[in-house]
Amino acid sequence: MEQLGVRALADVELLTILLGPTAGTNPTHDAAQRLLDALPLSQLAWASADELRQHPGIGPARAAAIAAAFELGRRGAWAPPKRGERVLDPRRVYELMRPLAHAEREEFHTILLDVRGRLIKTVKVAEGSLTQCPVSPRDALREPVRLGAHGIVFVHNHPSSGDPSPSADDADLTERLRTAADVVGVLARDHVIVGASGYYSFVEAGRWRR
């Protein structure tokens, strides 16, 4: 099938092709439609093979094919920053940490940068529950200080709501982290919150002084 033709197909038609031939008395198109009715495409793209197998008409082979297709699509379309690339723009921070949007628990990470704002590494500082992840400035700054990072970006996710908008606690934590970073001589550049619907940057929102 020509590429242009594939792009013109509806979601259910694409999924029908992916599911392959009809199995027994379960028409492939019907199975595809039921699956899309149960899981919007944005959720289907991140569902595991085990989750997919819970739906009628989706056996082990079909579940594996769907999960593999979406993973290949992500790998082909998503190019996260690599070590040595400048990561100062909040959009690039989001692209680097986007998998957090679909994590099962809230996590807190720091991105370590050199003097030119280039990526050194990312560090997972803490993992909490679905709705909270307690973190102390000391924990968040331990690795940046140890490795001599010039700058850092704080990142955490909102897995429960998917809405990256900061809570009052997020804002309070941000201020405490910035103050602590100043004390130890590390340049805190931003705090980015990642959610299923996108990201929130304290810098872009005008709530962070450069």
Side-chain angles (χ1 to χ4, degrees):
M1 183 178 297
E2 295 181 0
Q3 186 64 26
L4 182 60
V6 171
R7 290 178 179 174
L9 294 178
D11 293 344
V12 67
E13 294 171 314
L14 290 170
L15 187 55
T16 298
I17 294 172
L18 186 60
L19 293 181
T22 293
T25 59
N26 182 34
T28 303
H29 185 277
D30 291 351
Q33 187 61 65
R34 283 195 299 269
L35 187 57
L36 286 172
D37 289 342
L39 291 175
L41 196 60
S42 59
Q43 295 181 26
L44 182 63
W46 292 94
S48 68
D50 286 341
E51 292 171 330
L52 293 170
R53 289 175 60 184
Q54 306 306 311
H55 296 272
I58 308 300
R62 286 179 168 180
I66 295 169
F70 279 112
E71 179 60 26
L72 281 173
R74 281 192 290 273
R75 294 183 184 185
W78 173 45
K82 297 181 179 179
R83 181 182 174 89
E85 179 181 338
R86 283 171 61 86
V87 187
L88 297 180
D89 180 73
R91 167 61 62 174
R92 289 304 275 160
V93 171
Y94 170 63
E95 290 170 350
L96 174 64
M97 305 303 293
R98 189 166 60 176
L100 283 179
H102 302 280
E104 295 183 352
R105 299 175 181 270
E106 192 164 308
E107 300 179 16
F108 190 95
H109 294 242
T110 54
I111 300 174
L112 280 58
L113 307 171
D114 67 14
V115 69
R116 296 184 179 180
R118 296 175 302 191
L119 176 64
I120 298 175
K121 66 181 297 187
T122 63
V123 177
K124 182 178 178 179
V125 177
E127 180 176 329
S129 65
L130 182 64
T131 58
Q132 62 180 348
C133 181
V135 60
S136 70
R138 182 176 182 177
D139 291 338
L141 295 167
R142 182 180 293 113
E143 281 296 282
V145 171
R146 186 181 73 84
L147 296 177
H150 178 268
I152 51 176
V153 176
F154 304 112
V155 183
H156 82 276
N157 60 334
H158 282 175
S160 59
S161 66
D163 180 0
S165 301
S167 65
D169 287 341
D170 292 335
D172 178 66
L173 175 62
T174 299
E175 289 303 314
R176 290 191 289 115
L177 290 171
R178 288 173 56 182
T179 299
D182 287 343
V183 171
V184 299
V186 177
L187 178 61
R189 291 187 172 274
D190 200 352
H191 183 180
V192 175
I193 303 173
V194 175
S197 62
Y199 72 92
Y200 180 96
S201 160
F202 277 79
V203 168
E204 284 189 343
R207 300 175 65 179
W208 187 287
R209 63 181 186 277
R210 289 285 189 177

